[in-house]
Amino acid sequence: MGLVSFLKSKFKKSDEAKVDAKEEASRDTYSKGMEKSRKNFASRLDELSKRYAKVNAEYFEELEEILIESDVGVDLSLRLSERLLNIAKEEKLSEPKDLNERLIDEMFVGYVTKGEAIQNEIAFQESGPTVLLVCGVNGVGKTTSIAKLAYRYMKKGKKVMLVAGDTFRAGAVEQLRVWADRLGCPIIAGKPDSDPASVAYDGAKYAKENNIDLLIVDTAGRLQTKANLMQELAKIRRVLSREIEGAPHESFLIIDATTGQNGVLQAKAFKEVTDLTGIVITKMDGTSKGGIILSIRDELGIPVRFLGLGEGMEDLQEFDLDKYLYGLLLGEKENA
Amino acid sequence: MAFESLSNKFENIFKKLRGNATLSEKNMDDMLKEIRVALLEADVNFKIVKSFTNDVKEKAMGQDVYHKVNPSQMIVKIVHDEIQELLGEDQCEVNYNKGGLTSILLLGLQGTGKTTTAGKLSYLLADKNKKKVLVAALDVYRPGAIEQLEAVIGKTSADFFSLGNKENPMVIARKAKEKALAEHYDVLILDTAGRLQIDEGLMEELRNINHEIHPEEALLLVDAAAGQDAVNVANAFNRDLHLTGVIMSRLDGDARGGAALSIKYLTGLPIKFSGVGEKVSDLEPFYPDRMADRILGMGDVVTLVEKAKETIDEKQAEKDARKLLDGDFTLEDMLRQMKQVQKMGPMRSLLKMIPGMPKITDEQQEKAEQEMKTFEAVIQSMTPYERKHPEILRFSHKNRIAKGSGKTNADVNRVIRKYEQSKEMMKQMKNYQKTGRMPGGMKGPWGN
């Protein structure tokens, strides 16, 4: 059984088994949010396989085009289409439909084998606060993602606390404070333009003294090319690790789904400063296809852990590779 | 390797070409492939890349690049010019409503930098251009947005207008305009909430604001790091709101910003400004030529080619080249070559234009220019015969030359040593490249 048929059967089965309402609802938001990205990619793949009775050079060229236009990246796109071309030759496959399924297989295997096994949920420490450092370039949705993450773990019964480490951007502290009020969780904030590392220190101290389970540290948006700002981030990380052993236990990079190939450079630069344990892709409810998910994993081995699919605090979903690829290939047609 | 600059890729192709100075159609295809990858890695939209590379190929054929002195650079130049042409002229002027209120609507996806740009535009228009500017906060959704705008506007001479986050944005826009008209403001800047182009409700809201205000400028903010989808976003906003231009934000990062090219190509909208930092003064006019360099990921190699073409007399260069290869290279020739290069501009800016060239410090720069002056003084203090036959120079000659030029004997010796080295280098090159021409007269005898 090919991977795709396996995925299909998995989804069919869960449909028949009438999964509990909660999971159903979760898949609904997921489907709705991802509709745009999947519709485009899937319908184009579908259309491609209809136009070609047998695959040929033009077919592979068009396949490459679809991949690149999904922001998968030139390098990986070329490799994928070359790989498929070889598969077609070796296994004498000529049906576009078969090859499309093999494409998804290749993407799946490529993603899974590129790094460690993936666990989406935050790995909590056995004792003491678990520290999550959140970073990214400007305007990707760090603060909103933090609110969503806080909401998620408060619902799971964790004591969550926020640190407003963006002392630079005007309005940033207010933005996080509004969220903290809505969520009803404690927040530590510094004065405007104060040293974010000292705010992080205060936060870590408070967290230790008040039995906080999850300390989420917001940081100012910074372009990865600004050396002094990257130094500042390194300092925040150092202060955290001095106060709490092993901290930050998780470092998430937030990336906008509409980001092009610069996303790989972003991940690379942030990874040098703090050991990134995961990526949150935001704004997946737009029309972009989030191909950057695949190229970052391919180049750096960092897994995507969550997807942001809307503006509400519940609009955060675990990243599910099966669902993502299944959606890409099959579109909403068979999902309806 | 991904993200290598185009010039490095070209260099690699040319390494394979050694001894085979002219360009074949096969090499050209390799180069076009690299151009294609470079453009795609810069996030230029796929469809545009396709037609673009075809255009370049045609142009290159038309200009008969195969027989040019340096075909790879010629191709880079064609690509560069083509991109620059597509990006259009500098169009950084705001369309003012002469004698009345000018309204500017700032739009875009979430997180593209609208609020920061509102501050920068205010600074430009109010502080630099001395206009009376009012800025209205229409983002009633994102927590902290109004506070952010107020703080940013506080750093400029513009005035801030807000009705809090309970009022409908269209109502805020209307009241802001009423105030601006009543109090004789020159400019009204409206900072709207970020939204996805597929969010029907919010796009409807924008249409209403647009209808209410009839802005002179509706500017879309686009992140320099935007990917392939940027054109869909721009198209959707343009269809609904009749944009008048685009502002690229975060051009201070290392994103290549291919979206600028895609959007311009597909919508024809001018790119008016670029955001280059976080301070209110960090808004620059959009420079198509710099953008072209950036998309190609290379130093300003084209300007170098152009400058070289302007300043180097091609016939003389050819004559020099032939002379060099015949081993008939005099001190006079060396001086002429040096001067030709000098005409192209100060050393440092020249070196800066060569991709991959290490940055030289002020000190090194001064030293290099000083050296050039020394050479000139020494050579000009020789008799014409001595210049042609430096081998006759004895100690007494050198003494005289040193005195005449105000330099030391050591300087004179250095010039002669350099000359000998250059001559030797020329001989080696001759052996190496029996046929074909020298790559222009660009390589100075002091070597690089």
Side-chain angles (χ1 to χ4, degrees), chain B residues 251-268:
Chain B
L251 274 169
D252 46 335
D254 58 1
R256 299 238 176 110
L261 182 65
S262 311
I263 291 173
K264 179 75 214 245
Y265 193 97
L266 287 183
T267 63

PDB file of all heavy atoms in Angstrom, chain B residues 251-268:
ATOM      1  N   LEU B 251      13.677  46.545   3.572  1.00  0.00           N
ATOM      2  CA  LEU B 251      14.761  46.368   2.612  1.00  0.00           C
ATOM      3  C   LEU B 251      16.122  46.452   3.304  1.00  0.00           C
ATOM      4  O   LEU B 251      17.156  46.326   2.656  1.00  0.00           O
ATOM      5  CB  LEU B 251      14.647  47.396   1.490  1.00  0.00           C
ATOM      6  CG  LEU B 251      13.720  46.926   0.373  1.00  0.00           C
ATOM      7  CD1 LEU B 251      13.396  48.047  -0.589  1.00  0.00           C
ATOM      8  CD2 LEU B 251      14.326  45.757  -0.393  1.00  0.00           C
ATOM      9  N   ASP B 252      16.118  46.643   4.621  1.00  0.00           N
ATOM     10  CA  ASP B 252      17.388  46.638   5.341  1.00  0.00           C
ATOM     11  C   ASP B 252      17.810  45.222   5.725  1.00  0.00           C
ATOM     12  O   ASP B 252      18.888  45.011   6.235  1.00  0.00           O
ATOM     13  CB  ASP B 252      17.337  47.533   6.591  1.00  0.00           C
ATOM     14  CG  ASP B 252      16.076  47.321   7.416  1.00  0.00           C
ATOM     15  OD1 ASP B 252      15.055  46.889   6.851  1.00  0.00           O
ATOM     16  OD2 ASP B 252      16.113  47.590   8.623  1.00  0.00           O
ATOM     17  N   GLY B 253      16.964  44.242   5.461  1.00  0.00           N
ATOM     18  CA  GLY B 253      17.337  42.857   5.727  1.00  0.00           C
ATOM     19  C   GLY B 253      18.107  42.289   4.549  1.00  0.00           C
ATOM     20  O   GLY B 253      18.591  43.029   3.703  1.00  0.00           O
ATOM     21  N   ASP B 254      18.206  40.942   4.496  1.00  0.00           N
ATOM     22  CA  ASP B 254      18.940  40.367   3.374  1.00  0.00           C
ATOM     23  C   ASP B 254      18.022  39.698   2.358  1.00  0.00           C
ATOM     24  O   ASP B 254      18.475  38.953   1.500  1.00  0.00           O
ATOM     25  CB  ASP B 254      20.022  39.396   3.863  1.00  0.00           C
ATOM     26  CG  ASP B 254      19.447  38.257   4.695  1.00  0.00           C
ATOM     27  OD1 ASP B 254      18.215  38.223   4.880  1.00  0.00           O
ATOM     28  OD2 ASP B 254      20.223  37.414   5.169  1.00  0.00           O
ATOM     29  N   ALA B 255      16.711  39.975   2.471  1.00  0.00           N
ATOM     30  CA  ALA B 255      15.801  39.429   1.468  1.00  0.00           C
ATOM     31  C   ALA B 255      16.080  40.137   0.151  1.00  0.00           C
ATOM     32  O   ALA B 255      16.337  41.329   0.117  1.00  0.00           O
ATOM     33  CB  ALA B 255      14.360  39.650   1.893  1.00  0.00           C
ATOM     34  N   ARG B 256      16.009  39.374  -0.935  1.00  0.00           N
ATOM     35  CA  ARG B 256      16.359  39.968  -2.220  1.00  0.00           C
ATOM     36  C   ARG B 256      15.242  40.828  -2.803  1.00  0.00           C
ATOM     37  O   ARG B 256      15.469  41.644  -3.668  1.00  0.00           O
ATOM     38  CB  ARG B 256      16.707  38.859  -3.212  1.00  0.00           C
ATOM     39  CG  ARG B 256      17.895  38.038  -2.768  1.00  0.00           C
ATOM     40  CD  ARG B 256      18.996  38.067  -3.805  1.00  0.00           C
ATOM     41  NE  ARG B 256      20.151  37.345  -3.320  1.00  0.00           N
ATOM     42  CZ  ARG B 256      20.544  36.177  -3.810  1.00  0.00           C
ATOM     43  NH1 ARG B 256      19.878  35.614  -4.794  1.00  0.00           N
ATOM     44  NH2 ARG B 256      21.599  35.591  -3.334  1.00  0.00           N
ATOM     45  N   GLY B 257      14.016  40.576  -2.339  1.00  0.00           N
ATOM     46  CA  GLY B 257      12.925  41.470  -2.725  1.00  0.00           C
ATOM     47  C   GLY B 257      12.442  41.315  -4.146  1.00  0.00           C
ATOM     48  O   GLY B 257      12.041  42.287  -4.787  1.00  0.00           O
ATOM     49  N   GLY B 258      12.471  40.092  -4.662  1.00  0.00           N
ATOM     50  CA  GLY B 258      11.986  39.852  -6.019  1.00  0.00           C
ATOM     51  C   GLY B 258      10.519  40.201  -6.198  1.00  0.00           C
ATOM     52  O   GLY B 258      10.064  40.439  -7.314  1.00  0.00           O
ATOM     53  N   ALA B 259       9.783  40.250  -5.070  1.00  0.00           N
ATOM     54  CA  ALA B 259       8.364  40.599  -5.146  1.00  0.00           C
ATOM     55  C   ALA B 259       8.166  41.963  -5.805  1.00  0.00           C
ATOM     56  O   ALA B 259       7.190  42.178  -6.512  1.00  0.00           O
ATOM     57  CB  ALA B 259       7.746  40.592  -3.749  1.00  0.00           C
ATOM     58  N   ALA B 260       9.119  42.859  -5.599  1.00  0.00           N
ATOM     59  CA  ALA B 260       9.016  44.192  -6.198  1.00  0.00           C
ATOM     60  C   ALA B 260       8.900  44.078  -7.711  1.00  0.00           C
ATOM     61  O   ALA B 260       8.050  44.719  -8.336  1.00  0.00           O
ATOM     62  CB  ALA B 260      10.239  45.029  -5.828  1.00  0.00           C
ATOM     63  N   LEU B 261       9.740  43.228  -8.268  1.00  0.00           N
ATOM     64  CA  LEU B 261       9.729  43.051  -9.720  1.00  0.00           C
ATOM     65  C   LEU B 261       8.413  42.422 -10.178  1.00  0.00           C
ATOM     66  O   LEU B 261       7.790  42.873 -11.146  1.00  0.00           O
ATOM     67  CB  LEU B 261      10.916  42.170 -10.137  1.00  0.00           C
ATOM     68  CG  LEU B 261      11.088  41.931 -11.622  1.00  0.00           C
ATOM     69  CD1 LEU B 261      11.416  43.233 -12.326  1.00  0.00           C
ATOM     70  CD2 LEU B 261      12.198  40.927 -11.877  1.00  0.00           C
ATOM     71  N   SER B 262       7.987  41.385  -9.455  1.00  0.00           N
ATOM     72  CA  SER B 262       6.757  40.686  -9.844  1.00  0.00           C
ATOM     73  C   SER B 262       5.566  41.631  -9.835  1.00  0.00           C
ATOM     74  O   SER B 262       4.767  41.652 -10.770  1.00  0.00           O
ATOM     75  CB  SER B 262       6.468  39.536  -8.875  1.00  0.00           C
ATOM     76  OG  SER B 262       7.594  38.749  -8.691  1.00  0.00           O
ATOM     77  N   ILE B 263       5.453  42.398  -8.757  1.00  0.00           N
ATOM     78  CA  ILE B 263       4.291  43.264  -8.615  1.00  0.00           C
ATOM     79  C   ILE B 263       4.297  44.346  -9.684  1.00  0.00           C
ATOM     80  O   ILE B 263       3.296  44.627 -10.331  1.00  0.00           O
ATOM     81  CB  ILE B 263       4.253  43.882  -7.202  1.00  0.00           C
ATOM     82  CG1 ILE B 263       3.945  42.773  -6.185  1.00  0.00           C
ATOM     83  CG2 ILE B 263       3.211  44.972  -7.113  1.00  0.00           C
ATOM     84  CD1 ILE B 263       4.040  43.209  -4.751  1.00  0.00           C
ATOM     85  N   LYS B 264       5.454  44.922  -9.890  1.00  0.00           N
ATOM     86  CA  LYS B 264       5.562  45.962 -10.904  1.00  0.00           C
ATOM     87  C   LYS B 264       5.213  45.396 -12.283  1.00  0.00           C
ATOM     88  O   LYS B 264       4.481  45.991 -13.063  1.00  0.00           O
ATOM     89  CB  LYS B 264       6.981  46.532 -10.891  1.00  0.00           C
ATOM     90  CG  LYS B 264       7.264  47.607 -11.905  1.00  0.00           C
ATOM     91  CD  LYS B 264       6.627  48.919 -11.505  1.00  0.00           C
ATOM     92  CE  LYS B 264       6.171  49.682 -12.717  1.00  0.00           C
ATOM     93  NZ  LYS B 264       6.781  50.906 -13.018  1.00  0.00           N
ATOM     94  N   TYR B 265       5.730  44.228 -12.559  1.00  0.00           N
ATOM     95  CA  TYR B 265       5.526  43.584 -13.859  1.00  0.00           C
ATOM     96  C   TYR B 265       4.050  43.311 -14.107  1.00  0.00           C
ATOM     97  O   TYR B 265       3.523  43.569 -15.176  1.00  0.00           O
ATOM     98  CB  TYR B 265       6.309  42.272 -13.868  1.00  0.00           C
ATOM     99  CG  TYR B 265       6.487  41.608 -15.215  1.00  0.00           C
ATOM    100  CD1 TYR B 265       7.661  41.791 -15.933  1.00  0.00           C
ATOM    101  CD2 TYR B 265       5.516  40.775 -15.744  1.00  0.00           C
ATOM    102  CE1 TYR B 265       7.849  41.170 -17.153  1.00  0.00           C
ATOM    103  CE2 TYR B 265       5.703  40.145 -16.974  1.00  0.00           C
ATOM    104  CZ  TYR B 265       6.873  40.349 -17.668  1.00  0.00           C
ATOM    105  OH  TYR B 265       7.065  39.733 -18.864  1.00  0.00           O
ATOM    106  N   LEU B 266       3.386  42.793 -13.082  1.00  0.00           N
ATOM    107  CA  LEU B 266       2.005  42.349 -13.293  1.00  0.00           C
ATOM    108  C   LEU B 266       0.963  43.444 -13.091  1.00  0.00           C
ATOM    109  O   LEU B 266      -0.091  43.417 -13.702  1.00  0.00           O
ATOM    110  CB  LEU B 266       1.679  41.170 -12.375  1.00  0.00           C
ATOM    111  CG  LEU B 266       2.329  39.852 -12.784  1.00  0.00           C
ATOM    112  CD1 LEU B 266       1.885  38.741 -11.866  1.00  0.00           C
ATOM    113  CD2 LEU B 266       1.986  39.497 -14.227  1.00  0.00           C
ATOM    114  N   THR B 267       1.226  44.407 -12.223  1.00  0.00           N
ATOM    115  CA  THR B 267       0.208  45.413 -11.954  1.00  0.00           C
ATOM    116  C   THR B 267       0.561  46.770 -12.539  1.00  0.00           C
ATOM    117  O   THR B 267      -0.302  47.624 -12.701  1.00  0.00           O
ATOM    118  CB  THR B 267       0.012  45.631 -10.438  1.00  0.00           C
ATOM    119  OG1 THR B 267       1.221  46.136  -9.894  1.00  0.00           O
ATOM    120  CG2 THR B 267      -0.360  44.336  -9.740  1.00  0.00           C
ATOM    121  N   GLY B 268       1.837  46.978 -12.841  1.00  0.00           N
ATOM    122  CA  GLY B 268       2.255  48.266 -13.351  1.00  0.00           C
ATOM    123  C   GLY B 268       2.302  49.346 -12.286  1.00  0.00           C
ATOM    124  O   GLY B 268       2.582  50.508 -12.574  1.00  0.00           O
TER     125      GLY B 268
END
